[in-house]
Amino acid sequence: MAKQKIVCVLYDDPVGGYPPQYARQGIPVLAAYPGGQTMPSPAAIDFVPGELLGSVSGGLGLRNFVESRGHSLVITADKDGPDSVLEKELVDADVVISQPFWPAYITADRIAKAPNLRLAITAGIGSDHVDLQAAIDRNITVCEVTYCNSISVAEHAVMQILALVRDYIPQYHLVVNGGWNIADAISRSYDIEGMSVGVVGSGRIGLAVLKRMKPFDVALHYTDRHRLPTQVEEELGLTFHSDVESLVKVCDVVSIHCPLHPETEHLFNDELIGKMKRGSYIVNTARGKICERNAIVKALETGQLAGYAGDVWFPQPPPKDHPWRTMPNHAMTPHTSGTSLSAQARYAAGVREILECWFDGRPIRDEYLIVQGGHLAGAGAHSYSEGDTTGGSDEATRFKT
Ligand code: NDP
């Protein structure tokens, strides 16, 4: 293959410098994903699993591999605005790699300025930061490392469901601030036992959340475009809802796990949130733009929502004055759930596997594909709809100022 230029956008190194001190020595070795999908299988890796790979100096462990094959690799965190390194380097790039945590928004405008671009790899899951319609129209392959961090996110979602219902964060702050007023500490704290918990999207993450919530003795609900096998419904005691309105009306907690695509953009708006039970909780670890920004703020202020948590925002990074940073009764994290040190090892290996295929002219696994050959393909054909959801992403430049 002719020399390829690869532009890789990763988040900044730790403030205290790279490498950081690691809390543990290594990570467990997993044999396969639930359901049997095989783990990423590159010919080799040049990194230590469990080390920080998702920041600029970690470089997804790709540099030696890419350069030894005679290709060039640019790694940058500078991704937003017309003067960014990304925008300058993209003009003659063949491949772009980006993580959803620090997304390189590959808009139609940027695609138009990158005539050589043929492959956009998501180091993670969720390729909505690419204008998929423009990728379809320009015959750019879009792929992601399906399953690499699905369980990581499911664990984070369960943590945030419990954090909201039990009202953990204020209690933690009370202790840190030297207080001990128990009445204050429990004024918004409930048991989840007996509540109704629903997921929107019962794919890899949604199903893993349902399985993890089952032992809490809650009533489990879900909605999805495709129904789960009857055996799974029976084992978990699931109630299926053919539409999201029906689900939100009966649930105390709603956890969102569908991709962001035109069907789901701003799905949780004033109208849908208005149909929820008063005092419900939303956990959104899918994509920030599935929820309408101001509708969430308003619902928390009026008490229609008792709490909101998640780790996904729009855009990313969100400006310093993004109202989700300061709205009441939230338990937000930055977009971290899918980039634990454990997850990074899997998606770094997955990106290497994809690049090995690309350089060797071998097919990329079907399960990794979102767009190929001018249409939605593989996992993308199952879970996405055509179109673009990157509109407004240029607001990410405001983080800098
Ligand atoms: P999957 O593709 O396994 O699951 C997504 C599910 O959502 C599918 O079952 C799909 O349905 C369903 N879905 C699609 N559209 C709708 C809709 N309109 N209404 C209801 N359900 C719908 O992906 P994962 O579970 O692995 O990941 C889901 C999403 O989570 C990703 O797309 C990404 O946005 C986000 N994510 C976030 C991460 C983080 O770090 N916070 C990390 C990883 C993922 P079907 O296929 O049946 O049509």
Side-chain angles (χ1 to χ4, degrees), residues 225-241:
R225 303 194 302 188
H226 300 89
R227 201 161 168 168
L228 289 165
T230 311
Q231 189 200 346
V232 176
E233 288 191 353
E234 285 173 3
E235 273 170 15
L236 298 175
L238 304 179
T239 303
F240 173 71
H241 297 261

mmCIF file of all heavy atoms in Angstrom, residues 225-241:
data_model
loop_
_atom_site.group_PDB
_atom_site.id
_atom_site.type_symbol
_atom_site.label_atom_id
_atom_site.label_comp_id
_atom_site.label_asym_id
_atom_site.label_seq_id
_atom_site.Cartn_x
_atom_site.Cartn_y
_atom_site.Cartn_z
ATOM 1 N N ARG A 225 -35.269 -1.002 18.908
ATOM 2 C CA ARG A 225 -35.850 -1.225 17.577
ATOM 3 C C ARG A 225 -36.020 -2.716 17.291
ATOM 4 O O ARG A 225 -36.837 -3.111 16.482
ATOM 5 C CB ARG A 225 -34.973 -0.576 16.502
ATOM 6 C CG ARG A 225 -34.773 0.918 16.753
ATOM 7 C CD ARG A 225 -34.214 1.612 15.549
ATOM 8 N NE ARG A 225 -32.941 1.037 15.131
ATOM 9 C CZ ARG A 225 -32.164 1.548 14.191
ATOM 10 N NH1 ARG A 225 -32.539 2.654 13.579
ATOM 11 N NH2 ARG A 225 -31.026 1.004 13.868
ATOM 12 N N HIS A 226 -35.180 -3.542 17.902
ATOM 13 C CA HIS A 226 -35.286 -4.989 17.751
ATOM 14 C C HIS A 226 -35.472 -5.598 19.137
ATOM 15 O O HIS A 226 -34.728 -5.269 20.065
ATOM 16 C CB HIS A 226 -34.021 -5.576 17.105
ATOM 17 C CG HIS A 226 -33.730 -5.038 15.732
ATOM 18 N ND1 HIS A 226 -32.975 -3.911 15.516
ATOM 19 C CD2 HIS A 226 -34.103 -5.474 14.508
ATOM 20 C CE1 HIS A 226 -32.892 -3.672 14.211
ATOM 21 N NE2 HIS A 226 -33.572 -4.610 13.577
ATOM 22 N N ARG A 227 -36.422 -6.518 19.251
ATOM 23 C CA ARG A 227 -36.725 -7.111 20.555
ATOM 24 C C ARG A 227 -35.680 -8.178 20.916
ATOM 25 O O ARG A 227 -35.163 -8.877 20.039
ATOM 26 C CB ARG A 227 -38.124 -7.743 20.473
ATOM 27 C CG ARG A 227 -38.746 -7.917 21.816
ATOM 28 C CD ARG A 227 -40.247 -8.101 21.706
ATOM 29 N NE ARG A 227 -40.739 -8.542 23.007
ATOM 30 C CZ ARG A 227 -41.990 -8.585 23.351
ATOM 31 N NH1 ARG A 227 -42.926 -8.220 22.489
ATOM 32 N NH2 ARG A 227 -42.353 -8.992 24.552
ATOM 33 N N LEU A 228 -35.371 -8.285 22.203
ATOM 34 C CA LEU A 228 -34.428 -9.313 22.668
ATOM 35 C C LEU A 228 -35.083 -10.691 22.563
ATOM 36 O O LEU A 228 -36.312 -10.800 22.558
ATOM 37 C CB LEU A 228 -34.054 -9.042 24.132
ATOM 38 C CG LEU A 228 -33.155 -7.827 24.381
ATOM 39 C CD1 LEU A 228 -33.148 -7.454 25.862
ATOM 40 C CD2 LEU A 228 -31.735 -8.101 23.890
ATOM 41 N N PRO A 229 -34.257 -11.777 22.527
ATOM 42 C CA PRO A 229 -34.851 -13.115 22.502
ATOM 43 C C PRO A 229 -35.758 -13.342 23.718
ATOM 44 O O PRO A 229 -35.462 -12.844 24.819
ATOM 45 C CB PRO A 229 -33.632 -14.043 22.557
ATOM 46 C CG PRO A 229 -32.477 -13.201 22.088
ATOM 47 C CD PRO A 229 -32.799 -11.793 22.483
ATOM 48 N N THR A 230 -36.820 -14.102 23.512
ATOM 49 C CA THR A 230 -37.784 -14.372 24.589
ATOM 50 C C THR A 230 -37.096 -14.952 25.821
ATOM 51 O O THR A 230 -37.420 -14.599 26.962
ATOM 52 C CB THR A 230 -38.849 -15.382 24.090
ATOM 53 O OG1 THR A 230 -39.317 -14.919 22.836
ATOM 54 C CG2 THR A 230 -40.006 -15.506 25.054
ATOM 55 N N GLN A 231 -36.121 -15.816 25.577
ATOM 56 C CA GLN A 231 -35.421 -16.456 26.699
ATOM 57 C C GLN A 231 -34.739 -15.394 27.586
ATOM 58 O O GLN A 231 -34.772 -15.473 28.815
ATOM 59 C CB GLN A 231 -34.387 -17.419 26.129
ATOM 60 C CG GLN A 231 -33.730 -18.301 27.162
ATOM 61 C CD GLN A 231 -32.400 -18.856 26.639
ATOM 62 O OE1 GLN A 231 -32.101 -18.791 25.453
ATOM 63 N NE2 GLN A 231 -31.608 -19.390 27.547
ATOM 64 N N VAL A 232 -34.145 -14.387 26.957
ATOM 65 C CA VAL A 232 -33.482 -13.316 27.723
ATOM 66 C C VAL A 232 -34.531 -12.509 28.485
ATOM 67 O O VAL A 232 -34.359 -12.182 29.670
ATOM 68 C CB VAL A 232 -32.662 -12.403 26.783
ATOM 69 C CG1 VAL A 232 -32.054 -11.239 27.553
ATOM 70 C CG2 VAL A 232 -31.593 -13.195 26.056
ATOM 71 N N GLU A 233 -35.632 -12.197 27.808
ATOM 72 C CA GLU A 233 -36.708 -11.445 28.482
ATOM 73 C C GLU A 233 -37.180 -12.200 29.717
ATOM 74 O O GLU A 233 -37.397 -11.603 30.781
ATOM 75 C CB GLU A 233 -37.887 -11.231 27.526
ATOM 76 C CG GLU A 233 -37.615 -10.214 26.437
ATOM 77 C CD GLU A 233 -38.884 -9.836 25.665
ATOM 78 O OE1 GLU A 233 -39.940 -10.466 25.890
ATOM 79 O OE2 GLU A 233 -38.813 -8.914 24.842
ATOM 80 N N GLU A 234 -37.332 -13.498 29.568
ATOM 81 C CA GLU A 234 -37.847 -14.294 30.700
ATOM 82 C C GLU A 234 -36.827 -14.403 31.828
ATOM 83 O O GLU A 234 -37.159 -14.250 33.002
ATOM 84 C CB GLU A 234 -38.265 -15.685 30.198
ATOM 85 C CG GLU A 234 -39.586 -15.617 29.431
ATOM 86 C CD GLU A 234 -39.978 -16.933 28.767
ATOM 87 O OE1 GLU A 234 -39.258 -17.942 28.943
ATOM 88 O OE2 GLU A 234 -41.002 -16.938 28.074
ATOM 89 N N GLU A 235 -35.571 -14.657 31.460
ATOM 90 C CA GLU A 235 -34.526 -14.796 32.495
ATOM 91 C C GLU A 235 -34.417 -13.532 33.348
ATOM 92 O O GLU A 235 -34.230 -13.594 34.559
ATOM 93 C CB GLU A 235 -33.163 -15.029 31.836
ATOM 94 C CG GLU A 235 -32.851 -16.481 31.536
ATOM 95 C CD GLU A 235 -31.594 -16.612 30.674
ATOM 96 O OE1 GLU A 235 -30.822 -15.640 30.558
ATOM 97 O OE2 GLU A 235 -31.418 -17.702 30.107
ATOM 98 N N LEU A 236 -34.524 -12.362 32.693
ATOM 99 C CA LEU A 236 -34.344 -11.105 33.423
ATOM 100 C C LEU A 236 -35.670 -10.503 33.890
ATOM 101 O O LEU A 236 -35.682 -9.495 34.589
ATOM 102 C CB LEU A 236 -33.592 -10.096 32.547
ATOM 103 C CG LEU A 236 -32.166 -10.505 32.142
ATOM 104 C CD1 LEU A 236 -31.563 -9.487 31.187
ATOM 105 C CD2 LEU A 236 -31.272 -10.651 33.369
ATOM 106 N N GLY A 237 -36.772 -11.114 33.475
ATOM 107 C CA GLY A 237 -38.091 -10.585 33.851
ATOM 108 C C GLY A 237 -38.344 -9.221 33.228
ATOM 109 O O GLY A 237 -38.810 -8.291 33.906
ATOM 110 N N LEU A 238 -38.048 -9.094 31.940
ATOM 111 C CA LEU A 238 -38.118 -7.778 31.285
ATOM 112 C C LEU A 238 -39.502 -7.473 30.744
ATOM 113 O O LEU A 238 -40.178 -8.354 30.216
ATOM 114 C CB LEU A 238 -37.145 -7.726 30.099
ATOM 115 C CG LEU A 238 -35.679 -8.029 30.386
ATOM 116 C CD1 LEU A 238 -34.864 -7.951 29.090
ATOM 117 C CD2 LEU A 238 -35.129 -7.038 31.409
ATOM 118 N N THR A 239 -39.883 -6.217 30.829
ATOM 119 C CA THR A 239 -41.077 -5.738 30.122
ATOM 120 C C THR A 239 -40.613 -4.944 28.918
ATOM 121 O O THR A 239 -39.855 -3.972 29.068
ATOM 122 C CB THR A 239 -41.933 -4.837 31.043
ATOM 123 O OG1 THR A 239 -42.273 -5.585 32.207
ATOM 124 C CG2 THR A 239 -43.186 -4.360 30.333
ATOM 125 N N PHE A 240 -41.050 -5.365 27.731
ATOM 126 C CA PHE A 240 -40.679 -4.655 26.497
ATOM 127 C C PHE A 240 -41.684 -3.553 26.200
ATOM 128 O O PHE A 240 -42.886 -3.747 26.366
ATOM 129 C CB PHE A 240 -40.636 -5.640 25.323
ATOM 130 C CG PHE A 240 -40.436 -4.960 23.989
ATOM 131 C CD1 PHE A 240 -39.212 -4.400 23.663
ATOM 132 C CD2 PHE A 240 -41.481 -4.864 23.066
ATOM 133 C CE1 PHE A 240 -39.015 -3.759 22.436
ATOM 134 C CE2 PHE A 240 -41.294 -4.219 21.835
ATOM 135 C CZ PHE A 240 -40.063 -3.674 21.533
ATOM 136 N N HIS A 241 -41.185 -2.406 25.772
ATOM 137 C CA HIS A 241 -42.049 -1.303 25.338
ATOM 138 C C HIS A 241 -41.729 -1.004 23.879
ATOM 139 O O HIS A 241 -40.554 -0.841 23.519
ATOM 140 C CB HIS A 241 -41.796 -0.047 26.174
ATOM 141 C CG HIS A 241 -42.119 -0.233 27.621
ATOM 142 N ND1 HIS A 241 -43.301 0.197 28.192
ATOM 143 C CD2 HIS A 241 -41.435 -0.838 28.616
ATOM 144 C CE1 HIS A 241 -43.324 -0.118 29.477
ATOM 145 N NE2 HIS A 241 -42.192 -0.752 29.766
#
